[in-house]
Amino acid sequence: MEARDKQVLRSLRLELGAEVLVEGLVLQYLYQEGILTENHVQEIKAQTTGLRKTMLLLDILPFRGPKAFDVFLDSLQEFPWVREKLEKAREEAIIELPAEIRKLRPKDSVTCLAQLNWRF
């Protein structure tokens, strides 16, 4: 998962936790698409509250590969308002990123761009 997408999940963590995103088809879709393993699904379901289940999902997602964020967005069919919020935060992160790059000195830009996972 790109650094930008990790930041989006981190910045909306409490709001996402309040939505109890693990009910319904979200987990099954993420499992079907290979983002979660069977062990992940079992571990998430074993949590005692919806908040804990969602928080564990949010802990796992950043480590599940480059497609994890997009597949997570796709899984939110039952939660269109959450998907919209995540997409908006992602777009705002893209708009803010170039400002960070402008602060860099030219000789540092190649190294720093790699650290920011910026792709042209």
Side-chain angles (χ1 to χ4, degrees), residues 70-98:
D70 289 320
V71 174
F72 178 56
L73 289 178
D74 292 341
S75 76
L76 296 172
Q77 298 301 316
E78 299 171 292
F79 304 93
W81 62 95
V82 175
R83 181 184 174 127
E84 289 171 15
K85 186 177 288 196
L86 286 166
E87 289 172 335
K88 182 179 179 188
R90 189 185 213 189
E91 282 188 29
E92 289 172 358
I94 292 171
I95 291 168
E96 291 172 11
L97 191 56

Side-chain angles (χ1 to χ4, degrees), residues 24-81:
L25 300 176
V26 173
L27 286 182
Q28 293 308 312
Y29 186 80
L30 292 170
Y31 174 69
Q32 170 187 293
E33 298 301 313
I35 301 301
L36 297 179
T37 65
E38 186 174 344
N39 286 340
H40 289 135
V41 173
Q42 290 174 357
E43 189 178 355
I44 291 167
K45 286 183 174 183
Q47 300 303 305
T48 56
T49 67
L51 175 62
R52 288 184 181 189
K53 290 175 183 180
T54 301
M55 290 300 174
L56 182 55
L57 174 62
L58 294 174
D59 289 341
I60 293 169
L61 279 176
F63 302 100
R64 299 306 300 160
K67 295 181 180 179
F69 191 84
D70 289 320
V71 174
F72 178 56
L73 289 178
D74 292 341
S75 76
L76 296 172
Q77 298 301 316
E78 299 171 292
F79 304 93
W81 62 95

Side-chain angles (χ1 to χ4, degrees), residues 95-106 113 116:
I95 291 168
E96 291 172 11
L97 191 56
E100 291 298 316
I101 291 171
R102 285 194 295 269
K103 293 178 186 176
L104 304 173
R105 296 185 317 219
L113 287 175
L116 292 171

